Amino acid sequence: YDINEYVIIPDTKLLANKIKPCLEESEEVPKDFTAFFDETLFEFETDLIPEAVNLYSELEVKHDILKLIPPNFECPLPPLNLALF
């Protein structure tokens, strides 16, 4: 066995017996719970939709509704070998 370095592991049993409590004063909770929500984090803007629709005619691309393409899962099987017992 090669020992490169000794790693000193703290004595967790001793540290567990020396718990240092920490008291923290919290802010008062507002009565209106909606004050906790930040509406600027997510926005649903529709300003660019007309510009995107106009790009279909500018780029001469057919504007169709998106359709579901059914997946085609092909799982090749290994060649069969005869089992002789």
Side-chain angles (χ1 to χ4, degrees), residues 46-65:
T46 57
D47 299 340
L48 298 176
I49 291 177
E51 188 178 331
V53 171
N54 290 335
L55 284 174
Y56 283 103
S57 60
E58 288 180 26
L59 298 174
E60 298 177 2
V61 176
K62 189 176 178 182
H63 181 64
D64 284 338
I65 297 174

Side-chain angles (χ1 to χ4, degrees), residues 2-72:
D2 292 334
I3 299 176
N4 295 337
E5 291 181 21
Y6 287 103
V7 179
I8 300 173
I9 300 175
D11 187 4
T12 54
K13 183 177 178 182
L14 179 70
L15 292 174
N17 291 329
K18 294 183 177 182
I19 297 176
K20 296 181 181 179
C22 176
L23 296 177
E24 228 179 81
E25 290 185 24
S26 62
E27 300 174 7
E28 285 190 29
V29 179
K31 292 183 181 182
D32 183 17
F33 70 92
T34 59
F36 288 120
F37 298 111
D38 185 7
E39 295 178 1
T40 61
L41 295 176
F42 176 78
E43 293 178 304
F44 188 76
E45 294 183 11
T46 57
D47 299 340
L48 298 176
I49 291 177
E51 188 178 331
V53 171
N54 290 335
L55 284 174
Y56 283 103
S57 60
E58 288 180 26
L59 298 174
E60 298 177 2
V61 176
K62 189 176 178 182
H63 181 64
D64 284 338
I65 297 174
L66 295 177
K67 298 175 187 172
L68 179 66
I69 300 172
N72 185 10

Side-chain angles (χ1 to χ4, degrees), residues 68-77:
L68 179 66
I69 300 172
N72 185 10
F73 299 111
E74 293 183 15
C75 184
L77 298 174

